[in-house]
Amino acid sequence: MIRIVTDSTADFLPEDLAALRVRAVPLQVHFGEEHYEDGVDLTAEQFYDMLAEAPKLPTTSQPSPEQFMREFEAARDAGDDVVCITLSSQLSGTYQSAQIAKEEVGYDRVHVFDSLNACLAAQLLVRRAVQRANEGFTVPELLEDLEQARGRVRLLAFVDTLKYLHKGGRLPAAAAIAGGLLGIKPVVGVKDGKVAIAGKARGLPGAYVAIFKQIAHEGGIDENWPVLVGYTGKRQPAEPFMRYVTQNLHMQKPLLRPIGPVIGTHAGPGAAGIAFFAGGEG
């Protein structure tokens, strides 16, 4: 049996994890002296309520190797294979923690895969891995498929302000300052595992148009795989993405998911985005 493990920044709902039989190792969120485990004792809804009241921005931290070790040891004891898909190694030490755990457990049937992405895009890779495992793929076949899919997964989003990405160290100061001028709504994506400015637009309507144009530039959306739409805080900014996919592209309704505390700490409230596999086969 192949066990699929990920971390909490993939932003699965608890019922998703149960249905897909995926294990998610939580990252930590710190509000001053109060510490929470993402998705365990802090939900997305609770987080954004707390963020609105917090005098200072929360901080986040990666899981310890010991948290991954528990998952890997359980798989070893059951004689299962593990494919562990993590948040980009360029954004967090989560991948490194999983690698350390693999070495500590000393079980060569653990395979740690760097998504080089985040949030909804990482979730798409996890969902793909689950499907491939259910289809009977061997571990080498599954890892090869993930390698190919990683090059085609896309995450495009707008943020209300770049200050959260900058303060969290995920975006250089120059990029944050340039994006904050003249009411510009920054469009961000993930490139080579890092957050990057994918475009700039005047106001929210312009941000949606910029993202829709970028989707077309990417060759459209591969209809063979799910599309994910996410939001930080209130879901209203996600609705145009839902309509675009169903009414403009005439595709099935995307999965709509709240973006959780760790990614939300860096994106801030009022963000929304879409994740998909760029047009093509397979």
Side-chain angles (χ1 to χ4, degrees):
M1 176 179 159
I2 301 176
R3 295 192 184 202
I4 307 297
V5 177
T6 189
D7 62 70
S8 62
T9 64
D11 286 334
F12 280 99
L13 295 174
E15 51 265 39
D16 292 335
L17 294 171
L20 296 170
R21 299 177 68 183
V22 169
R23 298 285 295 177
V25 175
L27 278 76
Q28 283 75 47
V29 180
H30 313 282
F31 281 91
E33 298 300 314
E34 299 294 324
H35 309 293
Y36 302 90
E37 290 195 327
D38 179 17
V40 176
D41 52 13
L42 182 65
T43 66
E45 184 177 25
Q46 290 169 332
F47 167 76
Y48 291 108
D49 287 343
M50 293 170 66
L51 184 64
E53 301 293 329
K56 297 177 70 173
L57 284 180
T59 59
T60 61
S61 58
Q62 68 209 49
S64 67
E66 287 74 20
Q67 289 173 280
F68 282 106
M69 285 175 63
R70 287 194 286 270
E71 298 295 337
F72 299 166
E73 288 169 344
R76 179 197 61 196
D77 295 345
D80 292 339
D81 295 285
V82 176
V83 173
C84 177
I85 302 169
T86 71
L87 173 65
S88 172
S89 61
Q90 302 298 308
L91 297 174
S92 166
T94 301
Y95 172 78
Q96 286 79 4
S97 285
Q99 285 282 28
I100 293 168
K102 173 185 174 178
E103 293 170 9
E104 289 292 322
V105 172
Y107 184 49
D108 61 8
R109 291 168 64 183
V110 173
H111 307 272
V112 182
F113 184 84
D114 185 353
S115 75
L116 289 178
N117 225 300
C119 190
L120 306 176
Q123 183 176 148
L124 284 181
L125 291 173
V126 174
R127 288 177 175 274
R128 186 178 182 115
V130 170
Q131 180 167 327
R132 292 310 199 199
N134 291 339
E135 290 171 352
F137 277 45
T138 64
V139 170
E141 289 170 341
L142 193 155
L143 291 171
E144 182 181 356
D145 185 74
L146 283 176
E147 287 275 1
Q148 296 172 353
R150 181 171 61 185
R152 292 178 46 233
V153 72
R154 301 288 185 268
L155 173 62
L156 295 169
F158 66 80
V159 292
D160 192 47
T161 170
L162 289 172
K163 72 176 183 179
Y164 294 93
L165 281 166
H166 171 51
K167 287 185 176 181
R170 267 60 181 181
L171 198 67
I177 292 169
L181 301 175
L182 303 173
I184 296 295
K185 290 295 180 186
V187 174
V188 298
V190 179
K191 185 175 182 180
D192 300 325
K194 299 179 181 179
V195 177
I197 302 294
K200 298 172 188 174
R202 187 68 59 86
L204 270 184
Y208 292 114
V209 170
I211 290 175
F212 300 155
K213 287 182 177 179
Q214 185 65 29
I215 291 172
H217 178 72
E218 297 284 355
I221 295 174
D222 187 343
E223 298 185 35
N224 296 307
W225 295 94
V227 177
L228 279 168
V229 171
Y231 58 94
T232 61
K234 299 187 183 303
R235 63 179 287 172
Q236 185 178 357
E239 294 298 337
F241 291 118
M242 303 293 285
R243 292 194 296 271
Y244 172 74
V245 173
T246 57
Q247 297 176 18
N248 293 63
L249 301 183
H250 307 291
M251 292 175 58
Q252 288 187 352
K253 189 175 182 180
L255 298 171
L256 180 64
R257 295 291 184 268
I259 294 171
V262 171
I263 301 299
T265 293
H266 301 291
I274 184 169
F276 59 95
F277 288 106
E281 297 298 324

PDB file of all heavy atoms in Angstrom, residues 9 26 67 147 149 255:
ATOM      1  N   THR A   9      -0.224  22.992   5.012  1.00  0.00           N
ATOM      2  CA  THR A   9      -0.357  24.128   4.104  1.00  0.00           C
ATOM      3  C   THR A   9      -1.033  23.747   2.788  1.00  0.00           C
ATOM      4  O   THR A   9      -1.359  24.632   1.996  1.00  0.00           O
ATOM      5  CB  THR A   9       1.007  24.770   3.784  1.00  0.00           C
ATOM      6  OG1 THR A   9       1.821  23.830   3.073  1.00  0.00           O
ATOM      7  CG2 THR A   9       1.714  25.206   5.060  1.00  0.00           C
ATOM      8  N   PRO A  26       0.898  18.998  10.734  1.00  0.00           N
ATOM      9  CA  PRO A  26       0.601  20.431  10.905  1.00  0.00           C
ATOM     10  C   PRO A  26       1.830  21.309  11.096  1.00  0.00           C
ATOM     11  O   PRO A  26       2.796  20.911  11.749  1.00  0.00           O
ATOM     12  CB  PRO A  26      -0.270  20.452  12.168  1.00  0.00           C
ATOM     13  CG  PRO A  26       0.193  19.266  12.956  1.00  0.00           C
ATOM     14  CD  PRO A  26       0.549  18.212  11.932  1.00  0.00           C
ATOM     15  N   GLN A  67       7.516  15.037  14.127  1.00  0.00           N
ATOM     16  CA  GLN A  67       6.130  14.921  13.669  1.00  0.00           C
ATOM     17  C   GLN A  67       6.035  14.070  12.402  1.00  0.00           C
ATOM     18  O   GLN A  67       5.115  13.268  12.243  1.00  0.00           O
ATOM     19  CB  GLN A  67       5.544  16.312  13.428  1.00  0.00           C
ATOM     20  CG  GLN A  67       5.294  17.097  14.706  1.00  0.00           C
ATOM     21  CD  GLN A  67       4.886  18.520  14.411  1.00  0.00           C
ATOM     22  OE1 GLN A  67       5.726  19.377  14.130  1.00  0.00           O
ATOM     23  NE2 GLN A  67       3.596  18.791  14.459  1.00  0.00           N
ATOM     24  N   GLU A 147       6.608  14.307 -10.994  1.00  0.00           N
ATOM     25  CA  GLU A 147       7.648  15.164 -11.579  1.00  0.00           C
ATOM     26  C   GLU A 147       7.109  15.900 -12.800  1.00  0.00           C
ATOM     27  O   GLU A 147       7.326  17.110 -12.964  1.00  0.00           O
ATOM     28  CB  GLU A 147       8.862  14.324 -11.982  1.00  0.00           C
ATOM     29  CG  GLU A 147       9.700  13.830 -10.815  1.00  0.00           C
ATOM     30  CD  GLU A 147      10.720  14.839 -10.342  1.00  0.00           C
ATOM     31  OE1 GLU A 147      10.772  15.946 -10.907  1.00  0.00           O
ATOM     32  OE2 GLU A 147      11.458  14.523  -9.394  1.00  0.00           O
ATOM     33  N   ALA A 149       3.881  16.377 -13.553  1.00  0.00           N
ATOM     34  CA  ALA A 149       2.753  17.216 -13.163  1.00  0.00           C
ATOM     35  C   ALA A 149       3.206  18.503 -12.476  1.00  0.00           C
ATOM     36  O   ALA A 149       2.581  19.556 -12.642  1.00  0.00           O
ATOM     37  CB  ALA A 149       1.819  16.435 -12.242  1.00  0.00           C
ATOM     38  N   LEU A 255     -13.569  23.030  -7.017  1.00  0.00           N
ATOM     39  CA  LEU A 255     -13.641  22.836  -5.582  1.00  0.00           C
ATOM     40  C   LEU A 255     -13.294  24.163  -4.912  1.00  0.00           C
ATOM     41  O   LEU A 255     -12.286  24.787  -5.257  1.00  0.00           O
ATOM     42  CB  LEU A 255     -12.654  21.756  -5.143  1.00  0.00           C
ATOM     43  CG  LEU A 255     -12.875  20.349  -5.713  1.00  0.00           C
ATOM     44  CD1 LEU A 255     -11.697  19.442  -5.367  1.00  0.00           C
ATOM     45  CD2 LEU A 255     -14.174  19.763  -5.197  1.00  0.00           C
TER      46      LEU A 255
END
